[in-house]
């Protein structure tokens, strides 16, 4: 276990008293903000001594300026009354200094998904800031699948998805449908708000389930204030609302800490094509001129290379810029893609971006994954309330390693060796490029134990990525009847565009006997 700085008994008592006071008695400072439902407030901790007290918890990670963060919270227009306190500040530090790569990735993806989220949140009169919840649930990955088999941007279990009208079968999983799953999530938010009447409790119940939250409320003596209830919650749920608050802050202030997106996913205007009956996706792509990658990106709920004969009213999204050509040639395109006898059952793509990106929710214990399924299971004895300061220590339980660069080292291999993201490694060492020199000392930050779900899932994603990168190059010799789409599916759902790029192909046509590089 990590050793903490030696402090006097008086100092330790003062720190503990301060932390508990900061967490439980922040409600006296309230700033009014614009509301969606109902008129609610922002609560900000007033203690100016926070900046001096935070470093007393052992932490190599530098800490953000408290006054700057507090001011940023006060300026954010919100309808959910989120507190800024020592626990939240610890997660702000986490997303700035320990995991800037996650913050960067969310900045890159949010422009694509947020307009859709905002549309449905407004439709159901929900607080706009709930759009940030999908970052914790899935890392803005519509194909994310949790350990408990919760699926999609909003991590629905199959029965709960069915309760909100999301179909799941061999060919289509609407929990991965960007729009339908978002609308289902809004209905679920509304249901939870009708039960608890408090948005912080809605967030907590989305993570742990309404049954577990009710039990925690009873154990706490029917307290319904989130921060008074905080010690009685499951440890992952104790981290969930502070993470939500911290990531919302980061999405509005990341640039002030030198974190910027690089490859931004821009929103794509779409049109909808109604499909009845069989459809071969690859043929549709070839004849319509719409790339397979665009179809996959806009329709992540499609699990196979075909839609079955019994499809009725399937809403296929295509880029709006391609709709004029499609509409002018609709009959020809659909006749070609819907010819009977051409149905080819292609194995479901494993294109889940190396698996799950879930921070705080749907872990193995029960989470929303179980109680969204209306289960009433308690998996941990929470009769004894946890100490809030213990959570802060765990968040900060980071150890510093130093690595001396040797001859033949390259930065990505060092990141691989220590199981960290290369972007984080560069950030920790203030490297502007990947160039390193023999004898150079590199700082590596690591945790003594996993403290939040984001750490587990980011590491799992990175391991999968490196497993792919370590493979020797694979080559496929084109056989009669092969297409780039069928080849891509054979090799784990690698995108057609990536195969084309690796092999310098300008079109989708391939010839028998042609040798294609598959994994670089």
């Amino acid at each position: 276990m990590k050793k903490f700085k030696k402090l006097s008994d008086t100092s330790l008592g003062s720190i503990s008293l301060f932390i508990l006071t900061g967490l439980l008695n922040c409600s006296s400072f309230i700033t009014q903000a614009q509301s969606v439902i109902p008129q609610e407030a922002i609560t900000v901790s007033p203690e100016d001594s926070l900046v001096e007290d935070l470093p007393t918890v052992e932490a190599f990670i530098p800490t953000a300026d408290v006054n700057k963060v507090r001011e940023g919270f006060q300026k954010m227009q919100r309808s959910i009354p989120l507190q800024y306190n020592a626990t939240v500040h610890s997660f702000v530090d986490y997303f700035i200094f320990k995991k800037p790569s996650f913050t960067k990735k969310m900045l890159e993806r949010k422009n694509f998904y947020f307009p859709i989220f905002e549309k449905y949140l407004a439709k159901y009169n929900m607080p706009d800031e709930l759009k940030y919840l999908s970052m914790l649930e899935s890392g803005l990955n519509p194909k994310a699948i949790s350990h408990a088999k919760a699926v999609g941007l909003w991590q629905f279990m199959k029965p709960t998805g069915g309760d909100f009208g999301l179909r799941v079968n061999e060919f289509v999983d609407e929990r991965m449908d960007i729009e339908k799953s978002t609308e289902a999530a809004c209905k679920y938010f509304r249901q939870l708000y009708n039960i608890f009447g408090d948005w912080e409790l809605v967030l907590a119940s989305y993570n742990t389930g309404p049954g577990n939250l009710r039990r925690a409320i009873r154990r706490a003596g029917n307290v319904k204030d989130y921060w008074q209830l905080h010690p009685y919650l499951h440890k992952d749920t104790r981290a969930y609302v502070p993470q939500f608050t911290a990531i919302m802050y980061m999405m509005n202030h990341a640039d002030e800490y030198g974190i910027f997106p690089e490859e931004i996913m821009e929103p794509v205007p779409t049109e909808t094509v109604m499909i009845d009956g069989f459809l071969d996706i690859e043929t549709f792509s070839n004849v319509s001129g719409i790339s397979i990658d665009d179809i996959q990106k806009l329709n992540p709920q499609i699990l196979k290379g075909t839609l079955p004969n019994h499809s009725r009213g399937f809403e296929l999204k295509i880029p709006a810029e391609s709709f004029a050509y499609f509409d002018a040639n609709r009959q020809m395109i659909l006749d070609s893609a819907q010819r009977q006898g051409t149905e080819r059952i292609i194995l479901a793509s494993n294109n889940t971006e190396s698996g799950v990106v879930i921070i705080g929710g749907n872990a193995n214990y029960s989470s929303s994954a179980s109680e969204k399924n209306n289960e009433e299971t308690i998996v941990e004895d929470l009769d004894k309330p946890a100490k809030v300061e213990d959570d802060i220590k765990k968040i900060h339980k980071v150890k510093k390693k130093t690595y001396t660069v040797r001859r033949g080292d390259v930065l990505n291999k060092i990141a691989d060796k220590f199981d960290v993201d290369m972007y984080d490694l560069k950030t920790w060492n203030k490297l502007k490029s990947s160039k390193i020199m023999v004898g150079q000392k590199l700082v590596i930050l690591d945790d003594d134990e996993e403290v939040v779900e984001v750490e587990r899932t980011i590491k799992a994603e990175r391991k999968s990525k490196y497993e792919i990168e370590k493979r020797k190059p694979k080559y496929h010799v084109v056989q009669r009847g092969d297409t780039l789409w069928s080849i891509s599916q054979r090799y784990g759902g690698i995108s057609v565009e990536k195969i084309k790029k690796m092999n310098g192909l300008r079109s989708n046509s391939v010839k028998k006997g042609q040798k294609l590089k598959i994994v670089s």
Side-chain angles (χ1 to χ4, degrees), residues 53 55 94 149 156 205 280 305 413 501:
D53 282 329
Y94 187 87
K149 305 303 180 186
F156 279 104
S205 63
D280 185 292
K413 297 297 183 184
K501 184 176 180 180

Side-chain angles (χ1 to χ4, degrees), residues 320-332:
E321 64 181 13
S322 303
F323 185 74
Y325 177 82
F326 168 82
D327 200 38
N329 299 276
R330 179 187 296 262
Q331 198 62 47
M332 179 270 293

Side-chain angles (χ1 to χ4, degrees), residues 378-395:
I378 302 177
V379 297
E380 182 176 321
D381 183 5
L382 297 175
D383 287 338
K384 295 182 180 179
K387 294 182 179 180
V388 175
E389 60 265 35
D390 289 343
D391 286 341
I392 300 173
K393 289 178 181 179
K394 285 183 180 179
I395 295 165

Side-chain angles (χ1 to χ4, degrees), residues 479-520:
Q479 306 297 314
R480 184 184 300 278
D482 276 352
T483 64
L484 286 182
W485 167 258
S486 63
I487 295 169
S488 74
Q489 297 305 294
R490 185 178 305 175
Y491 292 95
I494 182 174
S495 73
V496 170
E497 291 303 317
K498 186 170 183 179
I499 296 176
K500 289 169 66 176
K501 184 176 180 180
M502 285 192 294
N503 293 277
L505 303 178
R506 296 185 178 180
S507 71
N508 288 340
S509 63
V510 289
K511 298 179 180 179
K512 181 181 177 182
Q514 186 175 358
K515 189 176 182 181
L516 298 176
K517 187 177 183 181
I518 301 300
V519 180
S520 58

Side-chain angles (χ1 to χ4, degrees), residues 33 42 71-78 248-249 252-253:
I42 305 172
E71 183 181 354
F73 270 108
Q74 290 173 328
K75 289 180 178 178
M76 288 165 57
Q77 293 296 304
R78 293 166 289 160
M248 186 171 76
Y249 172 81
N252 288 275
H253 297 278

